[in-house]
Amino acid sequence: MLDKTTFTPHGRHLIAGEWVAGEARFSSAPAHGSAHDFSVGTPAHVDAAARAAEEAFWSYGYSTRADRAAFLNRIADEIEARAGAITEIGTQETGLPVARLQGERGRTVGQLRLFASHILNGDYLDRRHDAALPDRQPLPRPDIKMVQRPIGPVAVFGASNFPLAFSTAGGDTAAALAAGCPVVVKGHSAHAGTAEIVAEAIHDAIKACGVHAGVFSLIQGGKRDVGTSLVQHPFIRAVGFTGSLAGGRALFDLCAGRPDPIPFFGELGSVNPMFLLPHALKARGAAIAAGWAGSLTMGAGQFCTNPGIAVLIDSPEADAFIDAMTKALEPIGAQTMLTNGIAAAYRQGRDRIAATAGVRELIASTCNLRNAAPYLYATTGKEWLANEVLGEEVFGPLGLIVRVDDDGEMEAMARSLHGQLTCTLHLDAGDTALGQRLMPVLERKAGRVLANGYPTGVEVCDAMVHGGPYPASTNFGATSVGTLSIRRFLRPVCYQNMPDALLPGDLGT
């Protein structure tokens, strides 16, 4: 019997139920612990996985919701059976603390179980029925039924900053499997071992549930040709992606440029601005500063919902807030980042902000190699409106305070924002009128609008929206978190005068 409490990577791809090696190898670059070698994926591996996924769809896409729910729950069980081994390899590869990996595993497992429960309920199918009206004049109406149906094999790209929740068995994979769509995952090389052990869990669930082996494949490593061949493969019908704006936009364009364009559901980044309204700032500015410091530096700032911007009206209270924020950040030391590349990009973003006209440095830190220390800068509303570069994401614990002249400039700044995952209002009762002016702007800019909180921490639930207008995501009508995310991998099909024997089972149960 397989020992699920220990794990040493073997470095192979999982394709259609077989662990497959490749000719080329790459070595991992863990934050600590031993490096491991992994096979490099190729377009040939992609083709084999996509063909297997298409073959699996003919059974899995027409399976019952009860069978798919049992499969999702079994994946969760298999992940939990490997809990300690997943945490060990995950912390080694990413440098994330044990508590973070344990929490992320809980979120991943909880998400799988939530989706299993949700599809059993059946509301997500949006079933509709217009009964026939044979005697209607001047023309009779046929019997018309509608239901959401799975679209086919889905490609998923593992995220660098979430080795579990947005990777191998994360939100995109769970949503696609819940919908009835087989999945081909391109693992992220930053945590290839974590991807492998989670793939083992899915593989065991496939065998236990008697699911077609092509329902899930994992391809490790590979250069740009692997990602290109995956999103352009004719059997792939949609793509889920969490990552950089540049990488996501390139894949989005490839999907749109296909002879048969397919949807690309990309979550690409955000600066997640917070608006500190005057009464709240006066009453509890120091508390808001302490909360922002914790949110900004959580996980070395490596969250797509990291609140990088604070906007407040110039006043003595603004001076006090800046002083409180500076004191809150000063004791926070350097943290290990997920990869050397992410750390280098963080320093480049810091240099870009520091070199922008009208920006003043409030906290000067030193970070090198794979470390990230917090930085804090300040500028004015006029400089923000004149320098679009200030609105570009810096992935890491860097904060920018924007002091605007008055309510009007605060609203103008809100209008200038590009699409965001989140926008936050810190307000008290006396700020209601200004909040009412800002709300129509903010809800057009973001997928989630918060009051008196911090956007880090995305609850997995029915009502959650994790997405927003471009460039926060490439499809503003979708979410990558919550039960609504399943709808990304479904399409409505209408059945007219169809005999019951030919209708999909979901229309009758």
Side-chain angles (χ1 to χ4, degrees), residues 5-58:
T5 62
T6 62
F7 174 70
T8 301
H10 52 64
R12 297 191 293 274
H13 315 289
L14 177 62
I15 300 177
E18 300 293 334
W19 291 102
V20 179
E23 294 183 5
R25 310 280 287 181
F26 72 94
S27 292
S28 62
H32 57 85
S34 301
H36 300 281
D37 289 340
F38 297 88
S39 295
V40 176
T42 67
H45 291 131
V46 169
D47 182 62
R51 290 181 181 276
E54 173 68 11
E55 184 60 33
F57 183 69
W58 294 111

Side-chain angles (χ1 to χ4, degrees), residues 266 419-421 445-448 465-478:
Q420 304 292 324
L421 293 171
K445 298 294 183 178
R448 178 163 57 114
V465 172
H466 189 60
Y470 185 85
S473 59
T474 56
N475 191 313
F476 63 84

Side-chain angles (χ1 to χ4, degrees), residues 145-234:
K145 298 182 175 73
M146 188 274 283
V147 68
Q148 300 286 338
R149 299 296 294 150
I151 60 174
V154 171
V156 172
F157 286 74
S160 64
N161 59 331
F162 280 90
L164 298 174
F166 281 92
S167 290
T168 313
D172 290 339
T173 296
L177 293 176
C181 299
V183 174
V184 179
V185 171
K186 183 184 183 300
H188 199 287
S189 58
H191 41 75
T194 309
E196 184 183 303
I197 190 173
V198 174
E200 283 189 352
I202 299 173
H203 182 46
D204 277 3
I206 288 172
K207 292 185 290 185
C209 295
V211 178
H212 190 294
V215 78
F216 175 85
S217 292
L218 169 69
I219 299 171
Q220 300 275 35
K223 297 182 180 179
R224 187 172 298 177
D225 60 342
V226 174
T228 297
S229 61
L230 182 55
V231 302
Q232 292 189 318
H233 198 285

Side-chain angles (χ1 to χ4, degrees), residues 32 72 164 231 239 259 261 265 282 286 302 344 430 461 487 500:
H32 57 85
L72 292 171
L164 298 174
V231 302
V239 179
F265 299 102
K282 183 175 182 178
Q302 297 169 115
C461 60
R487 287 288 297 270
D500 288 348

Side-chain angles (χ1 to χ4, degrees), residues 405-430:
D405 288 340
D406 50 31
D407 294 4
E409 193 168 71
M410 179 175 278
E411 186 175 352
M413 183 181 163
R415 290 176 181 269
S416 77
L417 292 168
H418 296 298
Q420 304 292 324
L421 293 171
T422 74
C423 288
T424 300
L425 286 171
H426 287 276
L427 74 168
D428 283 354

Side-chain angles (χ1 to χ4, degrees), residues 115-140:
F115 286 3
S117 174
H118 183 73
I119 62 174
L120 286 175
N121 177 274
D123 290 345
Y124 78 103
L125 294 167
D126 194 19
R127 290 173 286 205
R128 305 184 186 200
H129 181 200
D130 291 295
L133 298 175
D135 299 325
R136 189 183 68 175
Q137 296 296 328
L139 294 172

